[in-house]
Amino acid sequence: MTAALLAEQSESQPSAQSILQSVFGYQEFRPGQEGVIDHALNGHDSLVILPTGGGKSLCYQIPALVRSGITLVISPLISLMKDQVDQLKANGVAAECINSTMSKESLVEVYRRMNSGKIKLIYVSPERVLMHDFLVRLQHSDLAMIAVDEAHCISQWGHDFRPEYAALGRLKEHFPSVPVMALTATADDATRKDIISRLNLTDHYEYLGSFDRPNIRYTLVEKHKPVSQIIRFLNENKGGSGIIYCGSRKKVEMLTEKLCNNHIRAASYHAGIDADERAYVQEAFQRDDVQIVVATVAFGMGINKPNVRFVAHFDIPRNIESYYQETGRAGRDGLPAEAVMLYDPADIGWLRRMLDEKDEGPQKQVESHKLNAMSAFAEAQTCRRQVLLNYFGEYSAKACGNCDICLDPPKHFDATEQAQKALSCVYRVNQSFGIGYVVEVLRGMSNIRIREHGHDKLTTYGLGRDHSHDYWVSIFRQLIHKGLLQQNITRNSTLQLTAEARPLLRGEHTLELAVPRLDTAERSAKSNKLISKQYDKKLFAKLRKLRKTIADQDGLPPYVVFSDATLMDMAEILPTSYGEMLAVNGVGERKLEKYADPFLDLIQEHLTHG
């Protein structure tokens, strides 16, 4: 079957397997996909939970191409819709999106093609789908299926509740016999139950895929000099495409400026930036014209870019769902990727203060619970992936071997003496100062503030001069975690002793702490064994360059032409014919027809001349 025939409604019904191979260029289904697709083809409602990069889109795109009629896809962002449609069109599929940026002429043309049955998938926002005139159009169309993407947005227990999603349950009233598929990457048990209830899913099939993304390495680093730490990390990952998330617009702009001053090409993205500028940054990132985007949480849901090599968090997120979704934007192509977070317990205190200002009620309780879970993840001394998976109810007894805890287990030491020095210094300064100042006294710093308070005369002054500032900050943070110190939020986070500190100060107890980790570069030398491909790296670089040239000519992001994983497959298989090229994962019939020749020519030239 040709891709051209698939673009129109076919009288004969192709199989899901043939669509997978001929249109999308994949030889086999990923775990869970086939069962979801079979239930959709049998007319059942379904709830699909698959991690980012797990192949959610194919779960409804393939049934849409097998079934007669049009499939309605509800998606929250214009950029996300556009990206999906671009990729479908590149594979020869008749897909369109309807959004507020379209001209009247374009809208009329899309409606004309809908009415004549020449569109297989139509993407719309939740706001538009329940408009009276659009519902009328749908009722006069041959509606095959409804897919609700990012379905966690419908739940009040989800991390990204959107009121406009709440009314989508009414679709079942208008189209009771049309199967509905709800899809998301992040949903705990309460959220899943809420999605099923609010969408009125009946006799539904539920697929809960693994939340594990084994190709992502999770690393948490104590935040000491965050800008320097980020710059060092970027220098270690030169050439890689990445996103850096910050907790505020101000930090986004500050960090972007610092990076640019250090000759690192970066662009800012947050809701306060002009819409045209945001659109430019997103498109430049998609097309590999900008490698690093520094952003707030406003950036990301519309990013379907498979070759993001790292996601860094300058500040801790508010909940594990956000962290999981944001880190999940790295390594969607299945290749090794990094998720690095800089962590300062004071950031949790700041988030708690913001939460305290909210009105009491169930929503505040939910947010408080989620923030506590995020804090526990950051302070865990056990495998990061186990903590992450356990949060989503996927219990794993085996450590992952691909996080900072597994690769470089915390070393512990008898810290009784250091703890006594630290606690004594807090007591001597009358429990009236924060971490930074107490460390300066402990290290014997000579500055006006210390002299004015007379703290250079204290018995604890200079007791800790044999260790660095960052070392002592780590010790103080651990004493807070252990419950020996607390930070008084109402008094500018001043340190205060707890009742548990007294026995230690009196020498009645000993204390073990983790050896402070002071550098983002402290990585295990263990090699990442996730990728075993023996591909030609020189050819891979040439293929990427060719892909960028073709993508720019066609006005597309490079990954829409071929993903990095597909190019890596080419550099390993070294195809020299159409038949061999079709064996490359990600090369379907339409892409073979459109792009194969220049890539085959380049491979042949490389094999001949090197």
Side-chain angles (χ1 to χ4, degrees):
M1 171 171 284
T2 66
L5 282 173
L6 281 172
E8 306 290 337
Q9 183 173 326
S10 174
E11 291 183 9
S12 62
Q13 192 179 71
S15 71
Q17 182 68 42
S18 69
I19 295 287
L20 179 74
Q21 292 175 340
S22 64
V23 177
F24 297 100
Y26 298 118
Q27 308 309 306
E28 55 187 31
F29 288 104
R30 293 185 185 182
Q33 286 179 328
E34 197 165 12
V36 171
I37 289 167
D38 286 345
H39 279 83
L41 292 176
N42 288 328
H44 294 292
D45 291 344
S46 51
L47 172 63
V48 182
I49 315 293
L50 273 172
T52 303
K56 289 190 298 296
S57 300
L58 287 185
C59 290
Y60 62 81
Q61 289 172 351
I62 287 178
L65 297 180
V66 173
R67 295 172 70 102
S68 64
I70 188 170
T71 290
L72 171 70
V73 184
I74 300 165
S75 186
L77 292 175
I78 291 173
S79 55
L80 187 57
M81 290 189 271
K82 183 179 181 301
D83 195 61
Q84 294 270 10
V85 169
D86 283 346
Q87 292 193 61
L88 285 168
K89 286 181 173 179
N91 284 312
V93 176
E96 294 291 347
C97 64
I98 295 175
N99 61 64
S100 56
T101 68
M102 296 172 67
S103 67
K104 185 178 179 182
E105 293 76 14
S106 299
L107 191 60
V108 168
E109 174 59 19
V110 169
Y111 282 147
R112 186 192 66 76
R113 293 181 63 214
M114 273 181 67
N115 294 339
S116 61
K118 293 187 175 180
I119 294 177
K120 292 299 294 175
L121 293 104
I122 186 76
Y123 286 73
V124 299
S125 67
E127 295 90 345
R128 181 176 294 271
V129 75
L130 291 171
M131 288 182 178
H132 176 72
D133 65 323
F134 190 76
L135 282 172
V136 170
R137 289 183 187 278
L138 285 179
Q139 285 163 344
H140 288 88
S141 301
D142 180 14
L143 190 59
M145 188 171 70
I146 298 170
V148 181
D149 204 4
E150 307 292 351
H152 62 274
C153 295
I154 202 171
S155 172
Q156 63 177 324
W157 309 118
H159 67 287
D160 194 19
F161 173 62
R162 300 189 178 204
E164 61 270 20
Y165 261 73
L168 291 179
R170 286 167 45 202
L171 286 171
K172 270 292 183 184
E173 298 170 15
H174 295 282
F175 308 101
S177 61
V178 175
V180 174
M181 183 184 293
L183 308 101
T184 180
T186 47
D188 57 17
D189 186 58
T191 304
R192 295 196 291 272
K193 288 175 180 173
D194 210 21
I195 292 170
I196 293 164
S197 172
R198 285 172 178 259
L199 285 177
N200 297 314
L201 303 185
T202 56
D203 188 26
H204 72 281
Y205 172 70
E206 190 168 333
Y207 180 76
L208 179 61
S210 172
F211 286 91
D212 193 9
R213 294 285 305 282
N215 61 314
I216 298 177
R217 174 176 294 174
Y218 297 104
T219 303
L220 189 139
V221 181
E222 283 195 55
K223 185 191 284 188
H224 293 293
K225 298 168 185 170
V227 174
S228 299
Q229 288 172 298
I230 288 290
I231 289 171
R232 194 177 305 120
F233 173 75
L234 295 179
N235 285 333
E236 291 168 4
N237 291 272
K238 277 185 178 173
S241 185
I243 306 168
I244 304 170
Y245 284 105
C246 297
S248 68
R249 298 176 185 182
K250 188 176 179 181
K251 285 186 182 178
V252 166
E253 292 175 358
M254 175 277 294
L255 184 57
T256 305
E257 183 180 349
K258 296 281 189 185
L259 296 182
C260 291
N261 289 343
N262 280 271
H263 311 293
I264 296 171
R265 215 153 43 100
S268 294
Y269 189 107
H270 59 69
I273 292 174
D274 176 79
D276 290 340
E277 175 67 14
R278 291 203 308 273
Y280 166 77
V281 170
Q282 181 154 324
E283 188 167 346
F285 184 63
Q286 301 271 49
R287 295 189 178 187
D288 289 341
D289 293 330
V290 167
Q291 292 296 101
I292 311 293
V293 173
V294 185
T296 59
V297 293
F299 182 76
M301 192 182 279
I303 298 299
N304 198 25
K305 182 178 168 71
N307 65 328
V308 175
R309 294 273 61 88
F310 64 84
V311 169
H313 281 88
F314 194 78
D315 302 301
I316 190 168
R318 296 168 187 267
N319 51 66
I320 285 182
E321 288 91 341
S322 295
Y323 174 75
Y324 178 81
Q325 194 165 54
E326 287 155 17
T327 56
R329 286 161 192 151
R332 293 173 65 127
D333 51 13
L335 303 180
E338 294 259 3
V340 174
M341 186 204 299
L342 303 185
Y343 175 59
D344 180 347
D347 292 344
I348 287 285
W350 179 73
L351 290 174
R352 287 199 202 286
R353 286 197 296 277
M354 292 183 66
L355 191 56
D356 287 342
E357 293 172 5
K358 293 192 174 184
D359 294 334
E360 294 297 330
Q363 196 63 38
K364 183 175 180 178
Q365 291 173 8
V366 169
E367 289 183 35
S368 179
H369 166 77
K370 292 180 181 294
L371 182 57
N372 288 339
M374 189 70 236
S375 176
F377 170 80
E379 294 169 9
Q381 295 289 307
T382 54
C383 170
R384 303 274 179 212
R385 200 177 309 269
Q386 282 180 313
V387 177
L388 200 59
L389 295 178
N390 286 353
Y391 177 82
F392 290 112
E394 185 177 339
Y395 302 104
S396 172
K398 188 179 177 184
C400 75
N402 194 34
C403 72
D404 59 315
I405 299 292
C406 289
L407 292 169
D408 187 14
K411 298 176 181 64
H412 290 82
F413 73 110
D414 184 347
T416 306
E417 184 181 339
Q418 284 88 337
Q420 288 172 336
K421 289 178 180 178
L423 296 171
S424 295
C425 198
V426 171
Y427 179 75
R428 295 294 177 191
V429 299
N430 295 319
Q431 304 180 73
S432 300
F433 296 87
I435 290 178
Y437 181 83
V438 178
V439 168
E440 288 181 348
V441 173
L442 195 56
R443 294 187 65 235
M445 297 292 101
S446 179
N447 59 47
I448 294 172
R449 192 178 178 207
I450 288 175
R451 290 196 296 273
E452 283 180 346
H453 286 290
H455 291 159
D456 55 335
K457 305 294 192 298
L458 297 177
T459 55
T460 53
Y461 179 73
L463 277 182
R465 58 167 55 94
D466 52 339
H467 290 296
S468 71
H469 178 93
D470 293 344
Y471 175 93
W472 281 112
V473 169
S474 177
I475 296 296
F476 276 104
R477 286 175 179 171
Q478 291 186 67
L479 292 174
I480 293 167
H481 299 164
K482 296 281 187 182
L484 303 175
L485 284 173
Q486 62 185 13
Q487 289 176 293
N488 190 329
I489 293 172
T490 65
R491 293 181 56 197
N492 299 314
S493 296
T494 56
L495 291 174
Q496 296 176 349
L497 300 173
T498 66
E500 287 75 13
R502 292 192 182 96
L504 187 74
L505 282 169
R506 290 196 295 257
E508 297 169 6
H509 291 323
T510 59
L511 181 69
E512 277 204 346
L513 294 178
V515 176
R517 297 181 178 188
L518 306 176
D519 198 334
T520 60
E522 282 185 20
R523 294 254 211 303
S524 169
K526 295 176 185 177
S527 62
N528 192 330
K529 297 178 182 176
L530 287 166
I531 181 164
S532 59
K533 286 179 178 291
Q534 299 300 311
Y535 64 97
D536 186 325
K537 293 177 175 60
K538 188 176 178 183
L539 174 59
F540 178 68
K542 292 180 181 177
L543 293 170
R544 288 191 73 189
K545 191 174 180 181
L546 173 61
R547 177 185 65 178
K548 181 74 168 89
T549 301
I550 291 172
D552 287 347
Q553 288 170 353
D554 289 356
L556 294 170
Y559 62 81
V560 172
V561 178
F562 290 125
S563 70
D564 276 6
T566 297
L567 297 187
M568 199 173 283
D569 234 20
M570 286 185 200
E572 182 181 27
I573 295 172
L574 304 175
T576 56
S577 68
Y578 288 161
E580 291 175 353
M581 185 64 97
L582 273 176
V584 173
N585 241 349
V587 180
E589 291 180 5
R590 175 61 178 264
K591 287 192 176 180
L592 180 78
E593 177 187 323
K594 192 170 184 181
Y595 300 123
D597 286 340
F599 284 91
L600 286 171
D601 290 345
L602 177 60
I603 292 167
Q604 188 63 60
E605 182 188 342
H606 178 78
L607 291 173
T608 305
H609 303 291

